[in-house]
Amino acid sequence: MLPIDRLWQGLLDTLMMVGCSSLAALLLGLPLAVVLVITGGENLFASPLLNRVLGWLVNLFRSIPFLILMVALIPFTRLIVGTTYGVWAAVVPLTLAATPFFARIAEVSLREVDKGLVEAAQAMGFHRRHIIWHVLLPEARPGIVSGFTITLVTMINASAMAGAIGAGGLGDLAYRYGYQRFDTQVMLTVIVVLVALVTLLQLFGDRLSRRLNHR
């Protein structure tokens, strides 16, 4: 039987891992998505070389499985947080995995903004940075919120994987108490908590996205 305080601590660790890394992914991924959009083709700040380099970097990090990325980043993680074990050690690879993932999803939402709106803003004399701030980002908000919700769910799954190899959280509980001690009750409890967490996040994200969609 898993003590309730241990389960509670595991949930808090998971929320801390996902919360910190998702905030970092949002702050880094959204500007990256904007740069990818405005530097592509004949857009506002067209720069084919910069666009190709950034696109290549995003694809590179997205193509590496999270487990391999986490192991490969061990020296970098130690340099940043001073340890390779525990919650904060997991935040670094989670952030680097989530940022390009979210950037690509946000990029798709930004590209779906009606080009007629951008052209109308240009015709009215809007400065390019004003078009980004007052046209592109507001119009893409529902898609960006939906994409960030998908990113959060993906990060919860990744945090469970990280927990199983020393990062703590619910994944650590499932591995140490559920798998290694063959305790089915613990395993089921962790699964139920993870499903409830993902369901709540998805419901909240869907509701917020619908509220922001004024089309």
Side-chain angles (χ1 to χ4, degrees), residues 7-174:
L7 179 63
W8 180 244
Q9 185 60 50
L11 177 60
L12 288 179
D13 287 346
T14 294
L15 292 176
M16 184 174 293
M17 274 189 280
V18 174
C20 293
S21 50
S22 62
L23 178 61
L26 177 65
L27 295 176
L28 296 172
L30 187 55
L32 179 57
V34 171
V35 173
L36 283 169
V37 170
I38 63 177
T39 58
E42 297 180 353
N43 288 318
L44 298 173
F45 293 89
S47 177
L49 178 60
L50 176 61
N51 187 269
R52 278 198 294 272
V53 171
L54 287 177
W56 181 81
L57 287 173
V58 167
N59 290 339
L60 173 68
F61 277 94
R62 284 184 62 216
S63 64
I64 303 174
F66 178 68
L67 190 60
I68 297 174
L69 180 67
M70 191 163 54
V71 174
L73 287 174
I74 284 177
F76 181 69
T77 300
R78 185 182 289 113
L79 178 68
I80 297 297
V81 296
T83 179
T84 59
Y85 187 86
V87 171
W88 293 110
V91 170
V92 176
L94 278 172
T95 300
L96 289 177
T99 298
F101 180 81
F102 173 62
R104 277 298 187 208
I105 297 178
E107 180 192 2
V108 171
S109 300
L110 289 164
R111 288 193 189 283
E112 288 179 347
V113 173
D114 187 355
K115 291 189 181 303
L117 293 174
V118 176
E119 291 170 358
Q122 287 175 316
M124 286 188 289
F126 275 44
H127 193 278
R128 289 181 292 186
R129 67 174 184 276
H130 293 152
I131 294 175
I132 296 170
W133 190 252
H134 296 293
V135 179
L136 281 178
L137 288 174
E139 288 295 320
R141 271 188 312 191
I144 291 173
V145 169
S146 295
F148 190 61
T149 304
I150 295 172
T151 305
L152 281 172
V153 172
T154 303
M155 291 170 70
I156 289 174
N157 295 334
S159 73
M161 193 186 306
I165 58 173
L170 293 171
D172 178 53
L173 290 181

